[in-house]
Amino acid sequence: GCASGHEEVVRVLLDSGADVEDHNKYGFTPLMEAASAGHIHVAKVLLEHKNDINTRSNKFQKTPLTLACFIEPAEMLRLLLETDTNQEYKSYEMHAALIAASINGHMEVARLLLDSGAQVTMTNSSETPLTFAASRNLVNLAQLLIERGANIEEVNGDGYTPLMQAALQNNEEMIVLLLSEGADVNAFRNRETKETALVMAENSCLEIADLLIKAEADNEFFISLMEEGYFDFV
């Protein structure tokens, strides 16, 4: 009933003693099923019966809050955000949801999360919303994240800055935005491997390389790497 949105069926089952925290074969609770399908009326019934918003799925550790961020419009997410829960848990989950919104380019979801206090940066997270937005050329979302305080030089778990991610994916519009916001074109991912945004653009079209060079990328350093046989630029 939760996945298909049958509110009255769910209510009857719960009144008959059905376990509100029961997990299905995919490890989802009834509230997770309702959240992922966008069935807001079913979710309200489940919350009335104290379905735990903090519960995680058996696989991939999903929660109702992170599952709801895949749905637009964002009414399901709004309902869950208004539900009382542990604040430390909520802060972590809102950041995780913001990352998911950045992966999917859901502006409405991202804006709601930010308005509700989601942190654009968390010290214990290996990924950042801005690097995800940069890799997918989601310019409007990246602009929103920057306006809300995203660190333009923050690196993800692999050491990439947003500009590096944009260069890797040949995202010209994103590169223009990040450079206009002051991104360091000569930042190193790793000094031992000598990787900069320009180096990462080795397989990009020449327009990308030219854009970075005009932004004062260290072209002499790049040429020296070519002379050392570091890579063949095409």
Side-chain angles (χ1 to χ4, degrees):
C2 296
S4 54
H6 298 306
E7 176 186 352
E8 291 308 316
V9 173
V10 171
R11 194 179 294 278
V12 168
L13 290 171
L14 291 172
D15 289 342
S16 300
D19 184 0
V20 75
E21 292 297 331
D22 191 27
H23 288 69
N24 65 13
K25 63 180 180 180
Y26 303 109
F28 280 16
T29 64
L31 184 58
M32 291 176 196
E33 287 282 7
S36 62
H39 296 314
I40 191 165
H41 296 296
V42 171
K44 287 179 178 179
V45 172
L46 293 166
L47 290 170
E48 288 171 6
H49 284 75
K50 308 302 181 184
N51 201 156
D52 188 359
I53 192 175
N54 299 335
T55 303
R56 296 178 181 274
S57 64
N58 297 340
K59 191 175 183 181
F60 303 122
Q61 297 295 291
K62 297 293 186 182
T63 67
L65 195 65
T66 53
L67 289 166
C69 74
F70 291 96
I71 304 295
E72 284 193 318
E75 292 312 305
M76 176 63 74
L77 180 62
R78 192 183 308 277
L79 171 68
L80 296 173
L81 287 171
E82 291 171 352
T83 302
D84 289 335
T85 186
N86 177 278
Q87 191 57 45
E88 182 178 351
Y89 158 86
K90 194 171 184 178
S91 295
Y92 176 83
E93 288 304 317
M94 282 199 296
H95 181 72
L98 183 58
I99 288 176
S102 300
I103 293 172
N104 292 282
H106 288 168
M107 281 288 292
E108 181 185 355
V109 169
R111 193 180 300 278
L112 175 58
L113 287 165
L114 290 166
D115 288 345
S116 300
Q119 300 177 45
V120 291
T121 301
M122 288 195 78
T123 55
N124 61 343
S125 175
S126 62
E127 297 295 347
T128 77
L130 186 56
T131 50
F132 273 122
S135 69
R136 287 159 177 77
N137 207 32
L138 301 171
V139 176
N140 290 337
L141 179 56
Q143 183 70 65
L144 173 64
L145 293 168
I146 293 168
E147 289 172 357
R148 297 301 183 92
N151 180 358
I152 204 166
E153 299 300 337
E154 184 178 25
V155 298
N156 64 11
D158 294 319
Y160 294 112
T161 65
L163 183 61
M164 292 173 188
Q165 286 282 29
L168 280 169
Q169 300 299 325
N170 304 342
N171 294 337
E172 186 172 352
E173 288 180 272
M174 183 62 66
I175 290 171
V176 170
L177 169 65
L178 294 170
L179 291 175
S180 72
E181 295 289 343
D184 183 359
V185 71
N186 291 313
F188 283 96
R189 176 194 177 205
N190 185 317
R191 288 189 176 275
E192 292 182 3
T193 58
K194 302 178 179 179
E195 293 174 288
T196 65
L198 183 57
V199 171
M200 292 175 189
E202 62 176 286
N203 294 318
S204 301
C205 61
L206 292 178
E207 286 81 359
I208 296 292
D210 185 56
L211 186 62
L212 294 169
I213 291 169
K214 286 179 178 177
E216 300 184 355
D218 191 343
N219 194 32
E220 291 184 5
F221 170 71
F222 179 74
I223 292 172
S224 71
L225 292 181
M226 291 181 63
E227 292 173 345
E228 293 172 15
Y230 186 77
F231 56 76
D232 294 322
F233 184 75
V234 179

